């Protein structure tokens, strides 16, 4: 008898850790010299040299997991706290009641408008303050909304993860990719705003259309859902109508003000993860007060919400373990050096696409926008100068390569976190997303080549 085997995201990450550990015995160790400029550690692009091989040991392989968790500790703490806060907001029934109210007002046939509004919200969250990881605590909520509207869990993930990821990729004012990248390239901060905003609009429309086509198909025929036969009882919600009350309205106002405050703080006040976590805690407490929750009730909901985020947090730590192994064995600089050397002597159009391809490959090993910028751009920017490629275009290629691949790489903690929570396997997700990846990479390539044609600067 044939037995279908589903491998969850944590196992996929563990297998990848094994493969990366084995690669440390095959790839020569190499290093760039790091120098500090204006308080930021930079790579000297001309300083690469082969050093003594340092493959990972059996013990270091397993140590990469706790070390990855340690490196991502602040992010993991934020996810626990935000997950707890979101649980308090959701437990009041305000969001669900508002969704039912919207559905009744616009009609069940027009429920796709709710998907569009949610997609636009997450797209803006990704492209302006660059809050990619913030999507994780919202995943249960979005899945719940999708199921309430008669769709499936894939639609729930799709309407939050895809928009926030493509928003991050367009990076209109994303401080972690565009901001750091332009700083390293010595370009005016967030220059080229107009073209990147156009990119964002095109990317967002593409993601919304893709999600709506699938959503409409499974609403008309639920058996066409890619996860129709999958047991997802843990995602089921009660079919009920909840009356929208004044208390619900106050909760939504607090929730909205919490998000607005965090976005403002990220953009204007340079808030870090601790600042954002603190605001979520304040919002959760205020929400509990207006909902007449006891102190015990508020704390219980926060703890339960944090508990729901454990798998997501663990996935992020394991994903960071990949870069821990590559950094300790000194092979990450070797990968960057030899991939960058491919571009020398080629045309501007080829090199623009080549930079996109290189950044896409490297994002598998360094799934961190700021981390990838610091490692790769000091090497690739001088290459861009040598081949006569505008630095603004090099940054755009970096944004696309770093961002878009987050939707398909099992080393990306955000993706694996959402899949682990929903118990959707990586292969089931890949079956859903691969067509979109072909489309969006095609569009990104065209936009990149247009940027070369108009000498985007």
């Amino acid at each position: 008898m044939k037995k279908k085997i589903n491998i969850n995201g944590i196992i996929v990450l563990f297998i990848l850790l094994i493969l990366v550990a084995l690669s440390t015995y095959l790839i020569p160790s190499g290093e760039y010299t790091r120098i500090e400029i204006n308080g930021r550690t930079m790579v000297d692009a001309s300083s690469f040299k082969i050093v003594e091989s340092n493959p990972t040991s059996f013990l270091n392989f397993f140590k990469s997991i706790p070390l990855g968790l340690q490196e991502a500790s602040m992010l993991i703490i934020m996810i626990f706290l935000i997950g707890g806060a979101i649980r308090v907001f959701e437990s009041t029934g305000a969001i669900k009641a508002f969704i039912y109210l919207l559905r009744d007002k616009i009609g069940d046939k027009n429920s796709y408008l709710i998907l569009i509004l949610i997609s636009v919200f997450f797209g803006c969250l990704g492209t302006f303050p660059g809050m990619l990881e913030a999507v994780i605590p919202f995943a249960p909520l979005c899945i719940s909304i999708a199921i309430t509207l008669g769709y499936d869990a894939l639609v729930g993930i799709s309407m939050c993860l895809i928009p926030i990821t493509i928003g991050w990729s367009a990076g209109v004012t994303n401080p972690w990719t565009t901001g750091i990248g332009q700083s390293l390239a010595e370009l005016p901060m967030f220059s080229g705003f107009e073209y990147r905003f156009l990119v964002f609009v095109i990317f967002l429309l593409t993601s919304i259309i893709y999600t709506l086509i699938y959503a409409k198909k499974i609403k008309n025929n639920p058996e066409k859902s890619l996860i129709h036969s999958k047991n997802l009882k843990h995602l089921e919600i009660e079919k009920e109508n909840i009356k929208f009350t004044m208390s619900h309205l106050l909760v939504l106002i607090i929730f909205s003000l919490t998000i607005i405050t965090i976005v403002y703080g990220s953009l204007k006040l340079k808030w870090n993860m601790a600042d954002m976590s603190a605001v979520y805690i304040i919002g959760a407490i205020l929400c509990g007060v207006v909902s007449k929750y006891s102190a015990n009730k508020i704390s219980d909901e926060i703890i339960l919400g944090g508990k729901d985020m454990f798998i997501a947090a663990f996935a992020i730590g394991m994903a960071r373990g990949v870069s821990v192994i590559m950094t300790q064995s000194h092979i990450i600089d070797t990968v960057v050096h030899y991939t960058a050397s491919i571009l020398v002597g080629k045309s501007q159009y080829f090199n623009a696409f080549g930079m996109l391809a290189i950044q896409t490959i490297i994002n598998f090993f360094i799934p961190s926008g700021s981390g990838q910028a610091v490692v790769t751009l000091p090497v690739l920017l001088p290459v861009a100068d040598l081949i006569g490629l505008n630095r603004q275009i090099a940054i755009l290629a970096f944004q696309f390569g770093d961002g878009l691949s987050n939707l398909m790489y099992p080393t990306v903690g955000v993706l694996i976190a959402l899949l682990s929570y929903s118990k959707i396997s990586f292969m089931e997700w890949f079956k859903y997303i691969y067509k979109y990846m072909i489309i969006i990479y095609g569009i990104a390539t065209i936009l990149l080549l247009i940027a070369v044609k108009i000498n985007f600067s």
Side-chain angles (χ1 to χ4, degrees):
M1 294 177 62
K2 292 183 178 179
K3 185 177 180 180
K4 186 177 180 181
I5 300 175
N6 285 322
I7 301 177
N8 68 41
I10 299 296
I11 301 301
V12 171
L13 282 173
F14 190 76
I15 293 171
L16 285 172
L17 281 172
I18 294 174
L19 294 176
V20 171
L22 292 175
S23 73
T24 65
Y25 289 86
L26 302 174
I27 300 174
S29 298
E31 282 185 347
Y32 286 104
T33 300
R34 263 68 176 178
I35 55 178
E36 191 166 312
I37 300 177
N38 297 325
R40 177 177 290 145
T41 302
M42 304 280 289
V43 173
D44 181 354
S46 62
S47 65
F48 179 79
K49 60 182 178 181
I50 297 296
V51 298
E52 184 180 352
S53 180
N54 184 37
T56 190
S57 66
F58 180 80
L59 180 60
N60 284 340
F61 168 76
F62 285 96
K63 281 175 64 177
S64 69
I65 297 174
L67 288 174
L69 288 164
Q70 185 180 39
E71 282 196 4
S73 58
M74 196 61 243
L75 172 60
I76 290 171
I77 290 169
M78 183 183 77
I79 288 171
F80 279 136
L81 293 174
I82 295 178
I86 297 299
R87 172 71 182 232
V88 176
F89 287 121
E90 191 178 8
S91 69
T92 66
I95 297 173
K96 188 184 294 185
F98 183 64
I99 294 300
Y100 280 121
L101 179 66
L102 278 178
R103 187 191 63 184
D104 293 339
K105 293 293 183 181
I106 67 177
D108 190 56
K109 290 184 178 180
N110 295 321
S111 60
Y112 65 89
L113 293 175
I114 298 175
L115 303 187
I116 293 175
L117 290 173
I118 293 174
S119 295
V120 171
F121 168 74
F122 281 104
C124 292
L125 210 58
T127 204
F128 295 114
M131 297 172 64
L132 183 62
E133 287 84 2
V135 74
I136 296 174
F138 285 96
L141 176 61
C142 290
I143 292 172
S144 174
I145 290 172
I147 294 175
T148 299
L149 296 174
Y151 304 112
D152 67 5
L154 282 172
V155 174
I157 295 176
S158 185
M159 68 183 179
C160 61
L161 180 61
I162 297 180
I164 204 168
T165 302
I166 60 91
W168 170 279
S169 306
V172 178
T173 58
N174 183 343
W176 312 109
T177 55
T178 308
I180 292 177
Q182 290 184 334
S183 175
L184 293 173
E186 298 179 339
L187 296 169
M189 188 63 68
F190 303 132
S191 55
F193 177 95
E194 295 82 359
Y195 190 73
R196 289 199 310 280
F197 186 80
L198 174 64
V199 168
F200 168 61
V201 172
I202 294 172
F203 280 4
L204 183 60
L205 286 174
T206 306
S207 72
I208 290 173
I209 292 170
Y210 188 84
T211 301
L212 290 181
I213 289 174
Y214 175 79
K216 182 178 180 181
K217 179 176 71 173
I218 66 168
K219 189 156 190 176
N220 293 336
N221 187 357
E223 292 186 357
K224 290 187 176 181
S225 167
L226 295 176
I227 54 174
H228 174 68
S229 60
K230 194 174 184 68
N231 183 5
L232 296 174
K233 288 184 178 180
H234 67 293
L235 300 177
E236 290 181 1
I237 56 175
E238 296 180 4
K239 304 292 183 180
E240 57 180 336
N241 284 315
I242 306 173
K243 185 179 179 181
F244 190 73
T245 65
M246 179 59 67
S247 175
H248 290 153
L249 177 61
L250 291 174
V251 169
L252 289 180
I253 291 173
I254 293 171
F255 181 62
S256 300
L257 289 175
T258 300
I259 299 297
I260 291 170
T261 301
I262 288 170
V263 171
Y264 177 82
S266 299
L267 288 175
K268 299 294 185 181
L269 306 178
K270 307 300 180 184
W271 277 359
N272 56 29
M273 294 179 187
D275 297 313
M276 292 186 280
S277 300
V279 173
Y280 269 110
I281 294 172
I282 294 170
I285 293 172
L286 292 175
C287 167
V289 171
V290 301
S291 299
K292 298 181 180 179
Y293 282 2
S294 67
N296 285 342
K297 173 69 173 175
I298 295 174
S299 63
D300 287 344
E301 293 296 338
I302 290 176
I303 291 170
L304 286 173
K307 180 182 176 182
D308 290 340
M309 292 296 108
F310 175 78
I311 294 177
F314 191 71
I316 287 174
M318 287 194 68
R320 288 289 179 94
V322 173
S323 61
V324 168
I325 290 175
M326 296 189 72
T327 301
Q328 288 184 341
S329 58
H330 306 294
I331 65 171
I332 188 64
D333 285 1
T334 304
V335 173
V336 172
H337 175 74
Y338 285 107
T339 51
S341 64
I342 298 171
L343 301 178
V344 178
K346 306 297 190 303
S347 71
Q348 289 187 4
Y349 291 99
F350 178 88
N351 283 309
F353 176 76
M355 285 192 174
L356 167 60
I358 288 171
Q359 296 289 5
T360 298
I361 293 169
I362 292 175
N363 192 50
F364 182 89
F365 304 104
I366 313 176
S368 164
S370 56
Q372 188 173 339
V374 171
V375 171
T376 63
L377 290 179
V379 178
L380 291 177
L381 288 173
V383 173
D385 294 338
L386 286 173
I387 60 178
L389 189 66
N390 192 308
R391 285 193 168 195
Q392 194 75 267
I393 298 172
I395 299 302
L396 193 65
F398 156 68
Q399 293 172 214
F400 291 173
D402 163 74
L404 298 177
S405 53
N406 287 329
L407 289 170
M408 63 177 182
Y409 281 164
T411 53
V412 177
V414 174
L415 171 60
I416 297 302
L418 267 61
L419 297 183
S420 298
Y421 165 77
S422 61
K423 295 184 181 178
I424 295 172
S425 72
F426 179 78
M427 290 310 299
E428 286 169 333
W429 170 256
F430 190 78
K431 186 177 180 180
Y432 170 76
I433 201 66
Y434 83 92
K435 292 180 182 177
Y436 178 76
M437 298 310 299
I438 294 172
I439 294 169
I440 200 65
Y441 264 101
I443 293 173
T445 300
I446 292 171
L447 290 169
L448 198 58
L449 296 181
I450 290 174
V452 175
K453 181 67 176 178
I454 64 175
N455 193 29
F456 169 54
S457 62

